[in-house]
Amino acid sequence: MLSQLPLTVTMVLVAGIVLVFHPALLLDPVFKAGLVLHAVMFSLALAVPWQRFPPAASLAVPVLDFIPVGLIRESGVETVPALGAMAVLPVVWLTSSQLYPRFGLVMSFLGPLLAVWVPLLLRGSAAGEEYGVVVLLPVLMFATGFAVHTLSASRDHQQRTLEEARGQLQAALDSSARKERLINTVVDAVGVGVLALDAGGSSTLRNQQQKRNYALAYPSPAPGREPEVHVYGRGGKELLVPEMRPERRAARGEDFSDYLVWIGENGKQRVFSTSARAIRDDGRFDGSVVTFTDVTALIEAMTAKDAFLSNVTHELRAPLTSILGYTEVLAAREDLPGDAGAMLQVIQRNGQRLQRLVTDLLTAASGSVDVRPEPADLAEIIGFSLATAVPLAGAAGVNLVNESDPQVPALIDTTRMGQVLDNLLSNAIKYSPDGGNVTVRAGATKEGVFCSVTDTGIGMKQEDLRELFTKFFRSETARKSGIPGIGLGLAITKTIVENHGGSITCTSKPGNGSTFTLTLPAIH
């Protein structure tokens, strides 16, 4: 009906113009037949339930429209010559529908041609100019139809392209929505607080665990009171300044790991290990993700362990001091039975070993080693440690080799550095049960001072090297060998070296021995 409406409106206008300017034309039965026939066509367009028929059935209406157009043109061709131009309206309908493109183009020529040719043949006219119109009008209608067809095809192609793009976009949006739901479900399922920030520092994601953490840190204030912040550092005693809170550090683009904070009011605090990773787009900061892991139980366990070690070792130290003291007094006497001296040496040696163990436990429990560096000769300290290790090396059948430079100036705490060398030499000898060589090398370079201890003992696997300097760690090879130890010496050694501003590394292969290398800053 809407497609037929333009022709109907045109017919009404034509009838009005004829009524005003050419009333005699209304009496022409051909003209009246054209109007009546078009009225019937419009009624059919309006009344027929076209949705029940195939879409192409509606093309019957514009095809039949050429008949009333031809009748009206024929009746008024001499009075109103432009009446034939009304054929353009069914032509536009046929060629713009895109239902049967070729049929529409053919009818855009044949329809106007027959609309003017048939009446001409019926009248039997022989005027040449009339036949010229017969050819010209269909050609003009065909050209118009072809232009409309091209534009409609282009429009439909663009429409299909837009629909495809819309479908792809909708599929991408659906996929994105599914992924977002999956991510939200995953981050809500984990027991770690997750906070995502955008480039401006505003929160874009906060899972359920982090919402609980947030409520702990920023409880709702009582009416009339200012909101309080409960985010602490330094063992949960001091409020963190805003700039040092994990989310503020992450918003500045910082990356950090295992940053401990205490959240909550005193007595209800939880300890969190926080980590942050910045999101970068071509090097530009584009946000950050912060995680909050509750390590309260771990911190409490470590505190209890350290307290236990400290208490036990303090209790052991006093009786050990007495045992060693009285052992020395007894050993100094000259009236001892023949085998008593040897027995006292066994007691003294094991007492000293136990005392070193207690000292190591105390050092581990305190978590820190006091270092007071001063200018000294590292080569001299190496000589003292080698001399001390000679009896142990002799008993184990190990040959000690010193390949250090004659003088190695360094800024060190001589007592603590002696402890480091004693630990390394003791381990090298202890883990060379079949004899062999233990070689010490030391010297100075442009970067600083180095010292290495190499043995030809049992060695270690690569996976053991990653945990070698961890408290209480012992390699699988050491445990299976039955060699005594509790795994504190290397952890303390590493702490001492690092407190000097240096570093210590180890290279090793099973059955091929190990090399421990420490480096210290140069003297300036």
Side-chain angles (χ1 to χ4, degrees), residues 366-434:
S366 67
S368 63
V369 177
D370 184 31
V371 171
R372 299 179 181 180
E374 58 184 9
D377 186 2
L378 180 60
E380 185 177 354
I381 299 172
I382 292 172
F384 290 147
S385 294
L386 286 170
T388 304
V390 167
L392 181 62
V398 172
N399 181 37
L400 298 177
V401 180
N402 187 1
E403 296 182 357
S404 303
D405 292 346
Q407 290 184 332
V408 184
L411 191 64
I412 53 177
D413 184 320
T414 55
T415 302
R416 291 299 187 186
M417 195 52 60
Q419 186 179 352
V420 166
L421 290 166
D422 288 345
N423 274 336
L424 294 178
L425 288 170
S426 173
N427 283 347
I429 295 169
K430 185 166 58 174
Y431 292 108
S432 300
D434 299 326

Side-chain angles (χ1 to χ4, degrees), residues 127-462:
E129 63 273 10
E130 291 192 35
Y131 288 100
V133 174
V134 169
V135 176
L136 181 60
L137 182 64
V139 169
L140 291 176
M141 293 299 105
F142 177 78
T144 303
F146 184 80
V148 171
H149 166 75
T150 303
L151 292 174
S152 298
S154 176
R155 178 204 63 194
D156 290 348
H157 175 71
Q158 291 176 354
Q159 184 67 25
R160 286 193 299 271
T161 302
L162 288 174
E163 288 295 330
E164 290 175 1
R166 180 180 176 278
Q168 293 173 357
L169 178 60
Q170 188 61 48
L173 289 173
D174 293 342
S175 176
S176 177
R178 286 194 299 271
K179 290 179 180 179
E180 184 177 1
R181 289 193 296 270
L182 175 62
I183 291 172
N184 288 336
T185 302
V186 170
V187 297
D188 282 338
V190 299
V192 175
V194 179
L195 174 67
L197 305 173
D198 60 18
S202 300
S203 172
T204 58
L205 184 146
R206 183 186 290 127
N207 70 345
Q208 293 299 322
Q209 180 60 48
Q210 185 56 22
K211 289 177 182 177
R212 290 190 285 270
N213 298 343
Y214 189 86
L216 195 65
Y218 306 96
S220 300
R225 294 185 59 184
E226 292 292 326
E228 296 183 67
V229 178
H230 297 291
V231 182
Y232 301 86
R234 295 185 179 274
K237 304 300 181 183
E238 296 181 10
L239 274 173
L240 274 182
V241 295
E243 291 75 16
M244 293 305 296
R245 293 173 193 162
E247 61 271 25
R248 294 286 188 89
R249 292 183 61 188
R252 293 196 298 268
E254 293 186 38
D255 287 346
F256 54 86
S257 300
D258 298 325
Y259 178 56
L260 291 182
V261 294
W262 282 253
I263 297 178
E265 301 178 63
N266 289 330
K268 300 179 183 179
Q269 288 180 337
R270 307 293 297 176
V271 188
F272 292 89
S273 173
T274 65
S275 299
R277 293 294 179 270
I279 303 169
R280 302 193 182 276
D281 182 9
D282 291 333
R284 179 179 58 85
F285 177 67
D286 196 34
S288 186
V289 176
V290 193
T291 59
F292 291 72
T293 305
D294 192 329
V295 292
T296 306
L298 177 62
I299 294 297
E300 291 176 348
M302 292 177 65
T303 303
K305 181 202 70 175
D306 289 343
F308 172 77
L309 287 176
S310 180
N311 291 335
V312 169
T313 50
H314 275 295
E315 292 298 324
L316 289 173
R317 207 169 196 181
L320 270 174
T321 302
S322 298
I323 291 171
L324 289 172
Y326 282 112
T327 302
E328 290 180 3
V329 171
L330 286 173
R333 294 182 59 169
E334 298 180 355
D335 57 345
L336 293 175
D339 55 352
M343 293 179 181
L344 285 173
Q345 287 180 356
V346 173
I347 295 172
Q348 191 173 31
R349 186 166 58 250
N350 283 283
Q352 289 172 344
R353 180 175 170 231
L354 187 56
Q355 190 176 47
R356 285 194 300 271
L357 178 60
V358 169
T359 301
D360 287 348
L361 287 171
L362 275 173
T363 303
S366 67
S368 63
V369 177
D370 184 31
V371 171
R372 299 179 181 180
E374 58 184 9
D377 186 2
L378 180 60
E380 185 177 354
I381 299 172
I382 292 172
F384 290 147
S385 294
L386 286 170
T388 304
V390 167
L392 181 62
V398 172
N399 181 37
L400 298 177
V401 180
N402 187 1
E403 296 182 357
S404 303
D405 292 346
Q407 290 184 332
V408 184
L411 191 64
I412 53 177
D413 184 320
T414 55
T415 302
R416 291 299 187 186
M417 195 52 60
Q419 186 179 352
V420 166
L421 290 166
D422 288 345
N423 274 336
L424 294 178
L425 288 170
S426 173
N427 283 347
I429 295 169
K430 185 166 58 174
Y431 292 108
S432 300
D434 299 326
N437 295 327
V438 171
T439 305
V440 182
R441 299 180 179 88
T445 64
K446 293 181 180 179
E447 290 76 21
V449 174
F450 76 91
C451 177
S452 65
V453 177
T454 303
D455 64 66
T456 56
I458 59 177
M460 289 172 284
K461 297 179 180 178
Q462 292 300 310

Side-chain angles (χ1 to χ4, degrees), residues 74-115:
E74 175 61 22
S75 62
V77 67
E78 295 181 359
T79 308
V80 187
L83 291 176
M86 288 191 297
V88 75
L89 296 173
V91 166
V92 169
W93 184 350
L94 283 167
T95 54
S96 65
S97 67
Q98 296 295 312
L99 292 175
Y100 288 98
R102 293 182 180 178
F103 173 77
L105 288 173
V106 170
M107 288 308 300
S108 70
F109 179 77
L110 289 181
L113 180 67
L114 294 174

Side-chain angles (χ1 to χ4, degrees), residues 4 7-9 11 33-43 65 68:
Q4 182 73 347
L7 183 58
T8 302
V9 172
M11 288 285 188
L35 291 178
V36 172
L37 183 57
H38 178 74
V40 172
M41 296 299 301
F42 182 76
S43 300
D65 278 340

